[in-house]
Structures are given as C-alpha cells and as structure tokens.
Amino acid sequence: MMLGICFGSSIIEVWITENGKQEKVVFSGDLGNNDIPLLSPPTMISDADYLIMESTYGDRLHMRNDDKAKIFLDIVYETLEKGGTVVIPSFAVGRTQEILYELNRIKAENHDEEFYKKYKKLMSIPVYVDSPLAISATEVFKENMNLFNEETQEIINEGDNPLEFPGLKFTRTADESKELNASEESSIIISASGMCEVGRIKHHLKHHLWDPNSTILFVGYQAPGTLGRRIVDGEKKVKIFGEEIAVNARIEYIEGYSGHADQEWLMNFVYSYTTPPKHIFLVHGEPEGQKVLKEKLEENTNIPITIPDFGECYELNENIEMVGQKINNVKGQYLRLEVIDRMNTLKAELEDMTEIVKEEYLDESASDLDIVRIKERLKELEEQIVKIVENK
C-alpha cells in the first residue's frame, strides 16, 4: 500500500491466469506525496505486467518542506500585520494535520531576528480547526504516533507533541463555528472542505472573501469546476449560498501541501519496479499533465504509454488494442451519480441558507427592505426549481 491519502491511496494488485499464463495488473490509486513528515516512507511494488497509474501532478513539482514553511509564515505574518484573517480550506484528513505539524515545527527552529518577529506574531493569535471530521482525524493521528516518520518520533520523544501548541483551538459545534465570523480578532481558520464545495468553509469564505485585509490560502489540489478552483484561477466574483461575493481577499496557493505525488515521485514509482511493466495507462489527471508525464516516461523508460479516453476498452496483449467503447452506458451511469451528488450538495446548501436567512435577515435588526429583497430572491429560486421539475 502507498500511504499518503486515505481511501483512494490503496494500490490494487490483480493476478489473472488465462490459457495457462499468469499476468499481473496494478492499479495505483492516488499515489501519496513522499514529502509528508507525519508519515513513514511509502512502500513500493516490485513487479507488474501492466500498470494503470494516476497522473494528477504529471507536469508539476511540489515545493520542498523548507520552502513551503517559509512561504506559509510570510503569508500569515503579512496578513496579520494588516489585521486580517487567514482562511485555509483544507481536507479534513491529512492536510489539516500536516499544517498543524508545520506550525509546531516552525517554533522549534533557530532563526534570525526577522524570523523570530514573524513567528512571535504567528504564535500570538488563535489557530482554529473548524471541522468535526478534521478534529476526529487529528485525534486518530495522535493515537497512532508510532506510525510517524523517524524525525517526528524523535520530536515526540523529546516531549513535544507536533499536533499541539499554544493558541490551537478546536470548534466542534455549529454555534462555535459561527462565533468565529462574529469576532473581529485576527486568526487562522482551518476548515473543510478542501475544494470549498460544501461544509463550514463556505461560511468563512462568505465572511472573508470580500475583505482585502484577509487571505484565502489554498494548500491542496483544486479540481476543475469547483469553487476553490474558480477562486484560484482568479474569478473576481463568486456565488456562495446564492449571494454574489466580491473576491477582494489575497489569494495564495502553496501546492507543496498536496497529498498527491508530484511528477518526480510519479516517475520514481515507475523506476521502483525491479520488473518494469510492459505497458502503462495514465488515468486520473488533466489532459496537459497527462501529456507531459507521458512524454517524460517514454523518454526515460522506453515503456509504451496510453492515455485512454472515457469509456474505451483495451485488450491486454502484446499489441495493446482498443477493442471498443462503452461510453453510453458508463457515461450514463456516471451522469446519474453526478446528478444525485449535486442534489445532495444542493440540499446541504439549502439547509445552510435556511440558518443564514434566520440569523441575518429575520432578526429584529433587519430592515423591511432587506426582508423584501431576500423574499424576492427566494421566489426566483423557487421558480427555477419548479422549472427543473416541470421539464423532467
């Protein structure tokens, strides 16, 4: 198993015997980043006849630990100096714990006066982990510290828990989460989901995206079409809970915190085979990244590479032939699942919107004009839903 990302990180090895001949197919899953201090080095696979491998970062290299730690500190310090808040959309498992580790590690290093000034500023403000799942995952990390890498275990043996430090606070309840946005105090808020599609992070974005003094700091991969990707790509206005929000905050992206292997480690994964695969299929990636990785692998390994299209079927033989396409059935099933997923997301957003409307528009301080405006918006939303149902 290649550790680094939960669930999707499992590598599947399949042995197939046909006509008295056995061959092995390996599915990589999400290959973990090898530069994660909280985890032991990943295990490798020794042999395969055919490899189906992810290619998320096929055209990019991550920052090394020292670089991203310094950049992280500089971004936080500059934001706090302006009186702003740093909002970090983070995946609950893995990235949140790595950021906490990074914050703790920074304070233990000897640096010059300029660094100490920045670090002192960082340690003077609260750091909130605002995600029930992230809090639970952090507790699991704490209970399994024997699985951390050697460097981290040495730190633990010296009495320093890398997931605890002064100023670190966990907000479990929805009320505690709401209080964060009512506060005028500068802080760091780490909240899920990492791509900003659902969860508490959307409330924090609603309250801080418009603020030029604040920073939204992305530390993980942002898939095309997600709210996080649109913000990273530079959209000036985004809709959150049906309300248009101006993007005035500073937007930063430290790619080195991603849980995915970069191009170098994807290459190393292939190099690690003592018996190299006869053919490699690149999946789970964006077209440009796949193209770059394909060229790099072909140049350095002489292994034939295929980038299959959606629904294509291949016969694994000496020539690797495409024997057909199952786009209609497969794509149809995928589209159905996508519609259900979007409906579930919409349901969660409507529940969030209900709470926001009650708190911000229906209290005694709200003006009649505000109430009329929200009433009209809700009427428009209702009409759109009716149209969708009627046009089924």
Side-chain angles (χ1 to χ4, degrees):
M1 174 179 286
M2 172 75 75
L3 297 178
I5 304 179
C6 288
F7 308 121
S9 67
S10 298
I11 293 176
I12 301 173
E13 300 174 270
V14 179
W15 288 265
I16 302 170
T17 301
E18 190 175 62
N19 298 325
K21 181 182 178 182
Q22 185 181 77
E23 292 195 299
K24 179 180 175 183
V25 181
V26 171
F27 299 80
S28 78
D30 292 335
L31 295 178
N33 186 358
N34 69 318
D35 196 25
I36 299 177
L38 289 177
L39 298 177
S40 299
T43 55
M44 308 303 271
I45 305 295
S46 61
D47 65 283
D49 292 294
Y50 303 99
L51 170 62
I52 300 171
M53 187 175 78
E54 68 115 323
S55 52
T56 307
Y57 284 109
D59 59 345
R60 282 168 280 180
L61 298 175
H62 294 325
M63 297 177 190
R64 298 303 98 183
N65 265 326
D66 291 342
D67 296 330
K68 65 186 182 185
K70 182 181 182 304
I71 293 171
F72 181 91
L73 182 60
D74 287 345
I75 291 171
V76 172
Y77 175 76
E78 290 162 11
T79 304
L80 298 179
E81 279 290 280
K82 295 191 298 182
T85 287
V86 180
V87 177
I88 304 176
S90 181
F91 299 96
V93 181
R95 303 297 72 72
T96 297
Q97 291 72 32
E98 188 179 352
I99 293 168
L100 295 181
Y101 171 87
E102 199 77 44
L103 289 172
N104 187 76
R105 187 178 72 86
I106 288 174
K107 75 176 176 61
E109 299 178 349
N110 295 319
H111 291 274
D112 56 25
E113 189 175 329
E114 181 66 18
F115 175 89
Y116 181 74
K117 180 179 74 171
K118 294 178 180 179
Y119 173 74
K120 188 177 179 181
K121 184 77 174 178
L122 171 64
M123 287 295 110
S124 69
I125 55 98
V127 177
Y128 297 100
V129 177
D130 184 34
S131 163
L133 179 56
I135 294 168
S136 298
T138 301
E139 290 172 352
V140 172
F141 271 71
K142 289 180 181 179
E143 292 169 2
N144 294 276
M145 290 187 177
N146 60 306
L147 299 177
F148 292 174
N149 65 11
E150 291 182 7
E151 179 186 348
T152 307
Q153 291 199 44
E154 286 178 10
I155 295 173
I156 294 169
N157 291 333
E158 292 170 0
D160 186 6
N161 186 333
L163 298 181
E164 293 179 353
F165 52 87
L168 178 62
K169 304 176 187 295
F170 294 95
T171 55
R172 290 186 179 275
T173 69
D175 287 338
E176 289 173 330
S177 176
K178 293 168 187 173
E179 288 174 5
L180 300 185
N181 292 317
S183 172
E184 296 181 1
E185 179 185 27
S186 293
S187 63
I188 297 174
I189 301 174
I190 304 172
S191 185
S193 71
M195 296 186 194
C196 308
E197 285 293 277
V198 294
R200 295 180 179 180
I201 187 61
K202 297 186 76 170
H203 295 276
H204 301 306
L205 290 176
K206 180 175 182 284
H207 284 84
H208 293 283
L209 263 179
W210 58 268
D211 182 4
N213 294 324
S214 290
T215 296
I216 313 301
L217 174 56
F218 291 89
V219 294
Y221 176 71
Q222 302 299 308
T226 62
L227 175 58
R229 181 63 171 264
R230 297 203 304 274
I231 294 172
V232 168
D233 284 347
E235 285 198 15
K236 299 302 180 185
K237 292 181 180 179
V238 294
K239 276 196 173 183
I240 300 177
F241 303 126
E243 184 177 345
E244 198 169 69
I245 307 293
V247 181
N248 297 326
R250 175 180 176 179
I251 308 299
E252 294 285 353
Y253 183 21
I254 305 180
E255 194 172 78
Y257 283 107
S258 173
H260 281 272
D262 63 3
Q263 184 193 78
E264 179 184 0
W265 194 241
L266 289 170
M267 297 289 293
N268 286 340
F269 180 70
V270 176
Y271 294 151
S272 70
Y273 284 80
T274 53
T275 303
K278 294 184 289 188
H279 202 99
I280 297 175
F281 294 86
L282 296 181
V283 297
H284 195 292
E286 295 179 38
E288 183 58 33
Q290 290 182 322
K291 179 184 175 185
V292 171
L293 183 60
K294 178 179 187 290
E295 293 172 354
K296 189 90 172 173
L297 283 168
E298 288 177 337
E299 178 185 345
N300 289 276
T301 68
N302 294 318
I303 300 173
I305 312 291
T306 296
I307 302 174
D309 253 345
F310 187 83
E312 288 182 350
C313 299
Y314 288 82
E315 186 172 316
L316 300 183
N317 52 34
E318 294 301 321
N319 299 317
I320 303 295
E321 298 176 296
M322 188 182 77
V323 294
Q325 291 180 301
K326 292 188 176 180
I327 292 180
N328 291 336
N329 290 341
V330 176
K331 192 171 184 179
Q333 292 172 8
Y334 175 79
L335 288 173
R336 286 173 174 80
L337 291 173
E338 188 176 20
V339 168
I340 292 172
D341 185 56
R342 287 185 179 275
M343 288 176 64
N344 288 333
T345 299
L346 178 60
K347 180 181 177 182
E349 290 182 343
L350 286 171
E351 290 173 354
D352 289 338
M353 186 179 71
T354 300
E355 294 300 317
I356 292 172
V357 169
K358 286 179 181 178
E359 292 174 9
E360 300 184 12
Y361 292 96
L362 300 184
D363 63 6
E364 294 182 359
S365 63
S367 69
D368 290 345
L369 182 59
D370 287 335
I371 296 174
V372 169
R373 284 174 178 169
I374 193 65
K375 180 182 175 182
E376 290 302 314
R377 289 180 186 174
L378 289 172
K379 184 178 179 181
E380 291 173 7
L381 177 60
E382 183 182 0
E383 290 173 350
Q384 290 175 6
I385 293 174
V386 169
K387 286 179 181 179
I388 292 172
V389 175
E390 288 178 346
N391 292 332
K392 61 182 179 180

